[in-house]
Amino acid sequence: MSFRFPRFRRFALAPPICIIKDGVKQDAALRRELISDEDLRAMLHEHEVEDIAQVRRAWLEPDGQLTVLRRRGARDDGGTGGQPRRGL
């Protein structure tokens, strides 16, 4: 229905939830989504993030994937820099 009726899409699909903002965990959002610190570390590890301070923003997408936007210069190995990476 959301494909055929774009206005319905706004109600049918949940927006992404910001779980990290400027290197700071958003504890209320993490509790609401039942994500433990260990789960968060594992999710960030899949995106090759060792320190939460490297993250400018991280969103939990409605499909369960994590989108990570790194701070500029957070990677020295020629990675995506400030480009978002998706997937789990």
Side-chain angles (χ1 to χ4, degrees):
M1 283 183 70
S2 64
F3 178 76
R4 185 160 170 93
F5 303 103
R7 285 188 171 172
F8 181 74
R9 187 176 311 144
R10 180 175 37 174
F11 301 106
L13 300 176
I17 298 168
C18 183
I19 59 173
I20 299 174
K21 184 186 272 188
D22 297 323
V24 178
K25 294 184 303 182
Q26 303 299 300
D27 290 323
L30 290 169
R31 276 193 304 272
R32 189 171 48 249
E33 297 301 316
L34 303 175
I35 298 174
S36 68
D37 287 343
E38 293 81 22
D39 293 337
L40 180 60
R41 270 196 300 274
M43 294 166 81
L44 291 174
H45 181 71
E46 290 178 2
H47 288 276
E48 300 174 5
V49 174
E50 295 176 16
D51 184 11
I52 195 170
Q54 296 174 330
V55 179
R56 184 168 39 168
R57 294 281 193 282
W59 297 275
L60 185 62
E61 301 290 343
D63 61 359
Q65 291 187 0
L66 184 69
T67 300
V68 176
L69 183 62
R70 294 174 177 268
R71 293 178 184 265
R72 293 208 185 272
R75 286 184 67 167
D76 297 327
D77 61 351
T80 60
Q83 299 299 320
R85 293 189 64 214
R86 294 194 65 199
L88 275 178

